[in-house]
Amino acid sequence: MPTPRPTYDLVIAANRLPVDKVVTDDGEVEWRRSPGGLVTAMESVMRSQPGAWVGWAGDAGEAPEPFDEDGIHLHPVPLSTEEVRDYYEGFSNDTLWPIYHDVIVPATFHREWWSSYETVNRRFAEAVAEVAAEGATVWVQDYQLQLVPTLLRRLRPDVRIGWFNHIPFPPVELFAQLPWRAQLLEGLLGADFLGFQRQADARNFVRACRQLLGAQTKRDRVTVEGSRRQVRAAAIPISVDFRGLEELARRPDVMARAREIRASLGDPEVLMLGVDRLDYTKGIRHRLKAYEELLSERRIGPPEVTLVQVATPSRERVDAYRILRGEIEQTVGRINGELGKIGAPAVHYLHHSYPREEMAALFQAADVMLVTPLRDGMNLVAKEYVTCRHDLGGALVLSEFTGAWHELHQAFACNPHDIEGLKQTILRAINTPAKDKQRIMKALRRRVSDHDVQRWAARYLAALAAAPELPQPEARNTPTPHSVETPLMPGPSDSRSGSDGESYGESQGAARGEATGSRS
Ligand code: ADP
Ligand code: F6P
């Protein structure tokens, strides 16, 4: 008889596992840390408590066998080549990602992408149902898995289900463009508690339920139609492992490496730094434009001032990302060609991933950190920068369109769309007296230290445990076999008007619908 698989009281479901399987040129299998803020945050949470992590191993084909790493049980979910294209690159990153980030680039709609998204979400729900112990807490992550809460509830009504959105939740006027808007909302309403980065995100979600589903809502609660269940949606902003990262940044070898980085750049008076996934949401082009103008106007220039831009490879087969990479690399080439000097390039551009130690050293080396997204759920890089500045040095330029700005008000705030304003802010961050910058850095560090990722996880799990409704025993169905075949939402029921008399039709004028390309 085969031994039953172990089950866990805490299960995380995220699109990616914390490590990616990489097959090297000589056929060796290597496991590398996965990109992105979700992994940074959840990894430190999971290392301190026993649990399982259900996710994709980052390559197409059969999933590796489940394995344990650093005390976390990793349970890989397979994705076929077509699913990587349709569910991951397509629906998650070419449909949802643009809609959830203010349609900075047009969103693309394809019915077969949606169908793949449903299939993969069902597979995740089945995998979670397999590893969750009776009465377990299941914490579903992010926009790639919005159908999992309801699918899982059908399979395992005994478990407590939470979902956290690492990215913004869009205003209803943008969300309403999605042909599958009702199914997405219904999918999420299977959870007991929904967590968001900002209050505005939670409010957008509640409003979408009211206006697009006709659901009854009261403050942060949505009543699920056809049951007495209530679902709470609230903001619990994510953070970083302050103590762990600060300890790393205080290590003598990391501090020595920071000095070495500066020396190898010719010991500039001002070292500016950008660290981002190469994503159009991050405002890298705007940042480079402001920098280029400051150089052209001779207000700053190499070798006294230089910029290091780390642009982490991301989603390279999605058109918008490919185009962005070309634009950025062309711009960097132009700036260096026109404004650099022999031995003193104006921009040091690095398209690599680095170990945590190197990132901490870079943060310590930088006098001005440029965080200029056009829209970002949180931006952990901003919090990591202040965490690493135990010397109280440095200055953080921070976009108002990040979740981080709502907590780090003392930073040098900028609107990245306003290039003239961004230039002034960069100059201010350079020229403000060191004493004032130290005072600012102290305040920023206090905020991150008091609201670190451990506190975030504890607050989230407490809110999930205290969510309005306990699982309904009368709704319990037989948990085996673990498969869900019924659609989430039978029929087109997504156009009812809101119970408070406010209908979508009355408010759609604010949408930026003209920017979206729609194909099916
Ligand atoms: P996102 O989740 O959109 O990528 P965040 O700023 O929230 O953005 O998180 C990015 C995370 O990835 C941070 O922990 C940051 O330190 C890390 N990171 C970014 N670029 C690199 C890189 N080139 N090498 C290693 N880690 C990186
Ligand atoms: O936080 C947003 C996010 O999309 C995460 O879901 C993900 O871990 C990260 O950015 C990186 O994106 P991807 O997993 O598509 O490489």
Side-chain angles (χ1 to χ4, degrees):
M1 228 172 90
T3 35
R5 283 194 195 270
T7 57
Y8 295 83
D9 291 329
L10 175 64
V11 180
I12 301 293
N15 173 57
R16 276 186 194 278
L17 289 174
V19 282
D20 270 350
K21 184 178 157 200
V22 179
V23 182
T24 60
D25 291 343
D26 39 13
E28 296 284 305
V29 171
E30 272 181 19
W31 290 93
R32 293 192 195 145
R33 193 155 183 271
S34 310
L38 184 157
V39 164
T40 305
M42 294 313 298
E43 207 188 9
S44 43
V45 169
M46 290 300 279
R47 262 194 259 109
S48 57
Q49 48 195 317
W53 185 319
V54 173
W56 172 48
D59 74 341
E62 265 182 46
E65 279 301 305
F67 60 104
D68 288 2
E69 198 189 80
D70 268 350
I72 313 174
H73 179 75
L74 303 185
H75 186 100
V77 175
L79 293 188
S80 68
T81 304
E82 294 72 31
E83 287 165 349
V84 172
R85 184 191 63 205
D86 295 348
Y87 148 78
Y88 169 68
E89 292 165 350
F91 197 78
S92 297
N93 290 319
D94 210 1
T95 305
L96 293 176
W97 185 268
I99 292 277
Y100 284 39
H101 288 89
D102 289 359
V103 202
I104 296 164
V105 306
T108 304
F109 304 129
H110 283 304
R111 281 167 282 187
E112 60 274 23
W113 289 0
W114 164 252
S115 160
S116 181
Y117 184 83
E118 276 187 306
T119 305
V120 173
N121 270 250
R122 190 167 291 132
R123 191 173 306 142
F124 267 84
E126 288 167 3
V128 171
E130 230 182 89
V131 297
E134 179 76 20
T137 294
V138 177
W139 193 355
V140 184
Q141 310 289 323
D142 234 354
Y143 62 102
Q144 300 97 338
L145 301 180
Q146 293 177 86
L147 306 184
V148 169
T150 284
L151 293 168
L152 180 62
R153 181 173 288 281
R154 288 187 190 157
L155 291 170
R156 293 289 305 271
D158 59 296
V159 299
R160 200 86 169 129
I161 305 170
W163 176 80
F164 184 80
N165 200 29
H166 292 254
I167 67 173
F169 196 89
V172 66
E173 291 82 2
L174 292 179
F175 184 78
Q177 292 179 17
L178 285 162
W180 309 278
R181 58 201 191 181
Q183 290 95 321
L184 289 164
L185 295 175
E186 293 283 352
L188 291 174
L189 287 172
D192 296 288
F193 175 68
L194 299 164
F196 296 86
Q197 300 279 27
R198 298 171 310 152
Q199 277 180 14
D201 298 316
R203 277 198 302 266
N204 286 345
F205 171 79
V206 171
R207 195 167 152 234
C209 290
R210 193 166 63 234
Q211 296 193 11
L212 302 174
L213 293 181
Q216 283 211 355
T217 65
K218 193 167 178 197
R219 287 193 297 273
D220 60 357
R221 309 276 158 106
V222 180
T223 302
V224 179
E225 203 191 336
S227 85
R228 280 169 298 120
R229 284 184 56 243
Q230 284 196 344
V231 181
R232 184 170 167 239
I236 304 192
I238 200 167
S239 194
V240 296
D241 176 12
F242 185 87
R243 267 146 274 279
L245 184 56
E246 194 197 38
E247 199 178 298
L248 181 77
R250 282 186 188 275
R251 258 173 38 189
D253 57 320
V254 172
M255 290 167 64
R257 175 66 190 143
R259 288 191 293 274
E260 192 178 78
I261 290 172
R262 289 189 73 96
S264 64
L265 293 167
D267 273 321
E269 281 167 27
V270 181
L271 171 54
M272 300 210 266
L273 175 67
V275 172
D276 316 79
R277 266 184 318 100
L278 192 31
D279 194 303
Y280 49 82
T281 58
K282 302 288 183 182
I284 305 170
R285 281 189 308 127
H286 296 65
R287 181 185 315 166
L288 289 176
K289 188 167 177 55
Y291 181 60
E292 184 175 15
E293 288 189 13
L294 286 172
L295 294 180
S296 309
E297 292 159 11
R298 302 190 185 284
R299 294 158 92 176
I300 56 173
E304 293 80 13
V305 177
T306 194
L307 168 66
V308 171
Q309 175 63 56
V310 178
T312 320
S314 186
R315 305 171 190 168
E316 299 203 294
R317 296 191 323 172
V318 178
D319 278 350
Y321 290 75
R322 220 184 350 234
I323 294 167
L324 177 76
R325 182 173 173 190
E327 287 172 352
I328 299 287
E329 295 186 353
Q330 201 179 20
T331 307
V332 168
R334 188 185 60 235
I335 297 176
N336 279 335
E338 292 178 4
L339 299 158
K341 297 191 175 135
I342 287 180
V347 187
H348 298 257
Y349 171 77
L350 302 158
H351 189 243
H352 304 291
S353 280
Y354 293 99
R356 274 159 44 85
E357 290 78 359
E358 184 72 359
M359 300 304 292
L362 272 167
F363 290 140
Q364 273 197 1
D367 301 297
V368 178
M369 183 79 215
L370 299 174
V371 178
T372 59
L374 308 178
R375 176 61 70 200
D376 205 335
M378 172 52 64
N379 198 285
L380 291 182
V381 163
K383 291 186 172 181
E384 288 172 354
Y385 178 67
V386 303
T387 301
C388 289
R389 298 316 304 245
H390 49 80
D391 58 345
L392 301 185
L396 174 64
V397 171
L398 183 60
S399 161
E400 294 165 15
F401 303 109
T402 61
W405 180 77
H406 293 266
E407 295 175 71
L408 304 179
H409 282 299
Q410 299 91 340
F412 292 88
C414 70
N415 167 5
H417 298 280
D418 171 10
I419 300 296
E420 211 47 57
L422 178 54
K423 285 158 63 183
Q424 294 305 330
T425 307
I426 292 173
L427 292 177
R428 237 172 6 96
I430 294 174
N431 296 325
T432 297
K435 247 183 126 172
D436 295 338
K437 286 200 268 203
Q438 281 175 5
R439 194 177 31 76
I440 292 171
M441 187 55 76
K442 208 169 176 176
L444 297 176
R445 284 172 54 76
R446 192 175 313 119
R447 170 71 202 189
V448 182
S449 156
D450 289 349
H451 294 80
D452 65 357
V453 75
Q454 281 78 19
R455 177 164 172 183
W456 168 75
R459 280 182 66 201
Y460 186 94
L461 292 170
L464 176 55
E469 294 270 325
L470 287 168
Q472 301 284 293
E474 68 273 19
R476 200 174 254 262
N477 61 13
T478 322
T480 49
H482 286 167
S483 79
V484 203
E485 292 306 332
T486 42
L488 279 171
M489 280 278 296
S493 50
D494 60 353
S495 55
R496 286 166 285 169
S497 58
S499 59
D500 58 356
E502 202 187 356
S503 76
Y504 162 60
E506 288 160 14
S507 55
Q508 60 186 345
R512 290 176 49 191
E514 73 282 0
T516 64
S518 165
R519 280 177 269 136
S520 199

